[in-house]
Amino acid sequence: IEAATQFSKIFAAAAMLALAKYAIEAIKLASSLADIEAEFMKATGASKEFARSTTVAFRETRRFGASAEDTSKAAQALFGTFTDFTFQNIKTREQLIETATVLSKLGVDSQTTAKSMQLMTKSMGMSPGGAAQSMLNLTKFAEELGVPISQLTSDFASTAGSLAKLGSNGEAAFKRLAAAAKITGLEISKILNITDKFDTFEGAATQAGKLNAALGGNFVNAMDLMMATDPVDRFSQIRDSILDAGLSFDTMSYFQRKFFADSLGLSDVNDLALILSGNLLEKLKKRRIELENLQRCKKS
């Protein structure tokens, strides 16, 4: 009986200690959240209501290893960059903050997330919730494609001007661009720099004229290139026109390589080598099938 009594005392003391530690941590967390709300209001000029969305979102984001400061930074980026953020109801605001915070823990800068959501809602016809889900989908796509998540999302945000003109097709076009960039090794911005020159009849006629002069025949049709609004379709047509003329980077002479690089507006001859490397359409098709099979396996 004496031993049992002693054990009960020890157990009670341990329970009291654990409870005291829990209470101290709870007080620290409450104080930290109060500081975060105050800092958010100071940084943005937002109301207490908006600041409270940050602390509510933190209850979810801390499950992913996010700190209160991480959550606050994500909320500040959304407040300052995503203009429709302040028009959303409380539940949607909290969802957006949670998404931006989780993405930040995956290596995606919160400013990049906010800028991308702005593009998706303003130019691609998405709802804020749809934009949040699309950003999460981009991280999955980056993993499947085999490129850093931070790089892919940064590329998406930086191509806003070119993607906006494609409207609701912008996201799909970007994924094709990302796949083409992965296969060729040519940066997305460089692919767009080549294809954007064909947006007007005058630009298309000028570029087609330069290419045909380099090819020594009428291999490029300016109208076909202008009508093919998808950047990868244009890129493939330009690339195929050179290959259809029986040329390859290895068989070109020194001056041919420089001439074609100049005709395409490339920064250097190495970019021409990247454009002509491998079978782009075959690899794109193969990569698309691989990604589709991977997604089916994950669902099953």
Side-chain angles (χ1 to χ4, degrees), residues 150-216:
S150 58
Q151 176 189 320
L152 188 76
T153 51
S154 178
D155 285 341
F156 181 80
S158 64
T159 55
S162 292
L163 294 174
K165 59 193 173 190
L166 297 173
S168 59
N169 296 320
E171 183 182 7
F174 173 76
K175 289 181 177 179
R176 280 168 53 79
L177 274 168
K182 174 70 174 179
I183 291 167
T184 62
L186 196 64
E187 297 170 16
I188 291 177
S189 60
K190 290 186 176 182
I191 295 177
L192 288 173
N193 185 52
I194 296 169
T195 59
D196 282 352
K197 294 174 183 176
F198 294 87
D199 273 349
T200 64
F201 181 77
E202 181 181 1
T206 299
Q207 290 304 121
K210 289 181 179 180
L211 270 174
N212 284 327
L215 291 166

Side-chain angles (χ1 to χ4, degrees), residues 24-143:
I24 292 171
E25 290 302 318
I27 292 171
K28 286 182 179 179
L29 177 61
S31 176
S32 176
L33 292 178
D35 291 341
I36 290 296
E37 287 189 8
E39 180 61 29
F40 179 80
M41 288 188 290
K42 180 181 178 181
T44 63
S47 65
K48 181 73 173 178
E49 179 188 3
F50 281 96
R52 182 55 52 86
S53 291
T54 304
T55 55
V56 172
F58 172 63
R59 295 172 186 169
E60 292 296 321
T61 60
R62 63 180 174 178
R63 294 192 297 115
F64 299 95
S67 66
E69 185 178 3
D70 293 330
T71 309
S72 179
K73 286 181 178 179
Q76 287 181 43
L78 289 168
F79 188 92
T81 304
F82 180 29
T83 55
D84 282 354
F85 176 72
T86 56
F87 299 142
Q88 307 309 307
N89 59 44
I90 295 174
K91 183 177 180 180
T92 302
R93 283 203 308 266
E94 291 167 2
Q95 177 194 0
L96 295 175
I97 295 171
E98 290 166 16
T99 299
T101 306
V102 170
L103 287 171
S104 74
K105 300 306 293 182
L106 295 174
V108 183
D109 182 73
S110 293
Q111 286 292 343
T112 298
T113 298
K115 184 178 179 180
S116 298
M117 287 184 177
Q118 177 82 346
L119 167 65
M120 289 172 170
T121 55
K122 295 297 186 182
S123 302
M124 297 181 181
M126 296 185 190
S127 65
Q133 185 58 55
S134 288
M135 286 301 298
L136 293 173
N137 291 342
L138 276 182
T139 65
K140 296 176 184 176
F141 181 71
E143 181 181 352

Side-chain angles (χ1 to χ4, degrees), residues 14-28:
M16 289 295 293
L17 181 61
L19 184 61
K21 287 183 177 179
Y22 177 82
I24 292 171
E25 290 302 318
I27 292 171
K28 286 182 179 179

Side-chain angles (χ1 to χ4, degrees), residues 215-286:
L215 291 166
N218 190 26
F219 290 90
V220 181
N221 187 298
M223 186 60 71
D224 287 345
L225 281 167
M226 189 176 72
M227 296 303 291
T229 55
D230 186 285
V232 174
D233 287 343
R234 283 183 182 172
F235 184 67
S236 298
Q237 286 187 42
I238 294 168
R239 181 181 180 280
D240 290 346
S241 68
I242 300 174
L243 298 176
D244 290 344
L247 296 170
S248 69
F249 186 80
D250 292 336
T251 59
M252 287 180 182
S253 68
Y254 173 88
F255 289 104
Q256 277 182 311
R257 290 168 181 163
K258 285 190 63 66
F259 191 19
F260 275 105
D262 292 340
S263 299
L264 292 171
L266 304 178
S267 58
D268 55 53
V269 175
N270 181 61
D271 287 346
L272 178 65
L274 295 177
I275 291 174
L276 298 178
S277 62
N279 189 323
L280 178 62
L281 291 178
E282 182 180 320
K283 287 184 177 180
L284 279 173
K285 182 179 179 181
K286 181 181 179 181

